[in-house]
Amino acid sequence: MIAHRARWIFSCQSATKLDVWEDGCLVIGKDSRIAFVGPTSQGHKKYPKAQWTDHGKSSVLMPGFVDCHVHGPQIDMVGSAGQTLLRWLKEFAYPAELKYQNAAHANKGWKKFACALASSGTTHAAVYSTSSLEATESLMAELDRWGLRAHVGPVLMDRHAPRPLIGPASRQISGLQQLIKKWKQHPRIKPSIVLRFVPTSTKTLLELTSKIRQKYSDLIFQSHLAETQEEIKWVKKLYPKHRNYTAVYSDHELLNDRSLLGHGIYLERDELKLLKKFRSSVIHCPSSNLFLGSGLFSLKKVRESGVAVALGSDVGAGTSLFMPSVARSAYEVQALQGHFLSSAELLWLITGAGSKALGQKDSGTLARGMAADFVVLDGAYDPVLSDRMANAKKHEDRLAAILMLSHQSHVKLTCVDGKSVYRRD
Ligand SMILES: [Zn+2]
């Protein structure tokens, strides 16, 4: 058995229920699941023979971070500034994704992407690949080598994008079908149905995607929704018969409780009703929304309508894969609208809420019997962070400091199923 001791352990059972252990430990059983989480004094008594690691007096152990919306190939052009969404796609995102048609480029890029995810403390991600099936398979293989959890699919598009990225809808869907058959049983890397968004989809592509969605309703479906006003106008023009943007998805039977819709900044009341009806999740990507100037997402409005929300980095429009940075952006976006999120709520959004959206019932929270997916942050070399952690009077304030001040370089260890997928040393 393996035991990790940390100065503080934080975990959320919900947006309002925060568990904290000062001088806590996490013990991993032989089945790679959490055997014990609690005070070190108790853990020591129960498991004296476990192999103990003490992470030190400025360490924090938390559930592994969950990124519910990220574009693998865009790791190459993250931080490309100066454009709003539709021009940004054309000028920066599509050219980056095109390069992944080349196997050597893809292999090199995926290594960088997988390493960046693991070293950011992310243990589980919903990933848009590029449109190439071969490149998507090599991405899945690379994420598997690293030991991460992910939902990955080729990006389906058959119009309004550069030619090599689009192809006949039937060919794309039959390729996706092969990929699903090959990877469906994998314990950590799951195939996903990934439609870029409505403007790059013909009616034929939507219908064929709908068929495969019906057949594999347990897979994660990913797409974008209502990110900018310009995009919404375009959708209205392309699909005038549908009541609204969300209805294009629901009318094609693409929505269920495994559907993740990225952004959703400009959702109307009817659209929220539809998302609630189908129990689909909205993935808020605040760093991306700020960077592209897309708009301010109202978490309060969406949550009050009964629709589940989790967070995504949306790299490359988002500028960091480190989910506490994304949580910080979420805090700022809500604060600008007069709504102040608690630190427990922020931690929940990047852990348990993400696992829930991805249909992963046994991770996202640290508790006995759950998968041992966790991250250890270490503030020892950073006096600003470590003093702030040490001097905070309340755990909520301590957690706020960690989420607001920590950086990717504070990640010391990332584990999935109790196994190290990244170790800073
Ligand atoms: Zn995106």
Side-chain angles (χ1 to χ4, degrees):
M1 294 181 109
I2 295 172
H4 294 268
R5 179 182 185 179
R7 178 73 188 277
W8 291 286
I9 295 182
F10 289 97
S11 173
C12 287
Q13 293 177 37
S14 71
T16 52
K17 178 87 182 72
L18 176 68
D19 290 325
V20 189
W21 293 278
E22 185 157 0
D23 190 3
C25 70
L26 181 97
V27 182
I28 303 158
K30 289 194 177 106
D31 56 358
S32 302
R33 298 201 160 254
I34 298 173
F36 176 84
V37 57
T40 298
S41 53
Q42 281 183 30
H44 256 309
K45 265 186 211 151
K46 276 184 100 164
Y47 303 98
K49 289 184 180 157
Q51 190 189 321
W52 283 79
T53 302
D54 186 341
H55 292 288
K57 66 179 176 54
S58 299
S59 58
V60 182
L61 191 151
M62 300 197 264
F65 304 133
V66 183
D67 185 344
C68 288
H69 186 120
V70 58
H71 297 259
Q74 294 180 15
I75 192 74
D76 291 344
M77 40 63 78
V78 66
S80 296
Q83 298 288 5
T84 52
L85 174 69
L86 299 178
R87 273 158 294 279
W88 177 90
L89 279 170
K90 228 171 162 178
E91 192 167 325
F92 305 115
Y94 293 151
E97 291 180 20
L98 266 170
K99 288 187 184 156
Y100 280 72
Q101 307 278 340
N102 175 293
H105 180 90
N107 291 337
K108 204 174 151 204
W110 298 145
K111 280 190 176 65
K112 178 172 64 178
F113 175 65
C115 178
L117 273 183
S119 63
S120 298
T122 294
T123 51
H124 199 172
V127 187
Y128 287 65
S129 174
T130 179
S131 55
S132 154
L133 206 63
E134 294 71 28
T136 301
E137 276 224 68
S138 68
L139 170 58
M140 294 168 92
E142 187 63 31
L143 293 167
D144 184 27
R145 260 192 292 281
W146 280 79
L148 293 161
R149 287 187 211 284
H151 300 263
V152 189
V155 180
L156 304 171
M157 289 195 279
D158 70 341
R159 64 168 158 177
H160 299 145
R163 185 131 299 275
L165 285 179
I166 59 173
S170 57
R171 201 174 67 204
Q172 291 184 59
I173 296 295
S174 66
L176 173 61
Q177 180 129 2
Q178 287 167 27
L179 186 88
I180 292 172
K181 282 184 182 156
K182 206 166 157 186
W183 285 83
K184 203 174 177 318
Q185 299 307 327
H186 194 285
R188 285 178 289 97
I189 309 296
K190 299 287 183 193
S192 174
I193 302 166
V194 182
L195 191 79
R196 161 103 41 200
F197 65 161
V198 168
T200 47
S201 312
T202 62
K203 182 94 186 126
T204 310
L205 179 60
L206 287 171
E207 283 167 1
L208 290 175
T209 307
S210 172
K211 274 190 188 158
I212 202 161
R213 213 285 173 272
Q214 304 315 309
K215 196 167 173 187
Y216 300 103
S217 57
D218 58 330
L219 294 184
I220 293 290
F221 168 78
Q222 308 183 54
S223 198
H224 294 84
L225 173 66
E227 184 176 355
T228 68
Q229 298 286 11
E230 195 182 8
E231 167 209 6
I232 294 168
K233 272 187 204 143
W234 197 10
V235 170
K236 272 193 184 136
K237 212 169 144 192
L238 293 169
Y239 289 94
K241 287 183 187 157
H242 298 266
R243 220 163 18 152
N244 50 49
Y245 195 160
T246 305
V248 182
Y249 292 119
S250 64
D251 292 347
H252 288 93
E253 296 178 272
L254 290 166
L255 301 183
N256 69 15
D257 62 349
R258 298 285 167 98
S259 300
L260 311 182
L261 286 314
H263 304 291
I265 300 173
Y266 301 102
L267 291 170
E268 292 164 9
R269 196 182 297 218
D270 278 359
E271 297 186 273
L272 288 166
K273 274 187 190 160
L274 273 177
L275 292 171
K276 188 189 173 192
K277 182 177 158 196
F278 291 103
R279 293 185 294 141
S280 303
S281 298
V282 168
I283 308 304
H284 174 36
C285 305
S287 163
S288 161
N289 299 162
L290 293 169
F291 185 74
L292 296 178
S294 301
L296 300 177
F297 174 86
S298 171
L299 186 64
K300 197 165 175 271
K301 181 182 99 180
V302 176
R303 190 169 278 163
E304 280 173 1
S305 71
V307 175
V309 179
L311 294 194
S313 68
D314 197 23
V315 157
T319 49
S320 173
L321 283 173
F322 184 57
M323 291 308 288
S325 290
V326 177
R328 182 166 67 226
S329 297
Y331 177 86
E332 290 162 353
V333 166
Q334 301 315 309
L336 278 168
Q337 300 169 87
H339 179 49
F340 294 88
L341 296 174
S342 71
S343 52
E345 189 158 8
L346 291 170
L347 180 61
W348 171 249
L349 281 168
I350 58 171
T351 55
S355 290
K356 250 182 140 174
L358 296 177
Q360 185 83 22
K361 292 194 177 96
D362 64 349
S363 69
T365 297
L366 303 176
R368 187 184 157 87
M370 298 289 270
D373 291 9
F374 63 95
V375 56
V376 177
L377 304 182
D378 178 20
Y381 74 90
D382 180 343
V384 175
L385 177 62
S386 57
D387 281 5
R388 187 68 178 81
M389 284 199 284
N391 299 330
K393 297 264 186 304
K394 289 183 177 167
H395 289 312
E396 273 269 347
D397 179 42
R398 180 168 292 116
L399 178 58
I402 293 163
L403 295 172
M404 299 300 157
L405 305 178
S406 65
H407 183 266
Q408 186 181 343
S409 62
H410 292 115
V411 175
K412 185 185 180 192
L413 176 71
T414 309
C415 287
V416 174
D417 281 336
K419 293 174 197 78
S420 154
V421 296
Y422 170 78
R423 196 181 286 273
R424 194 173 59 197
D425 311 334

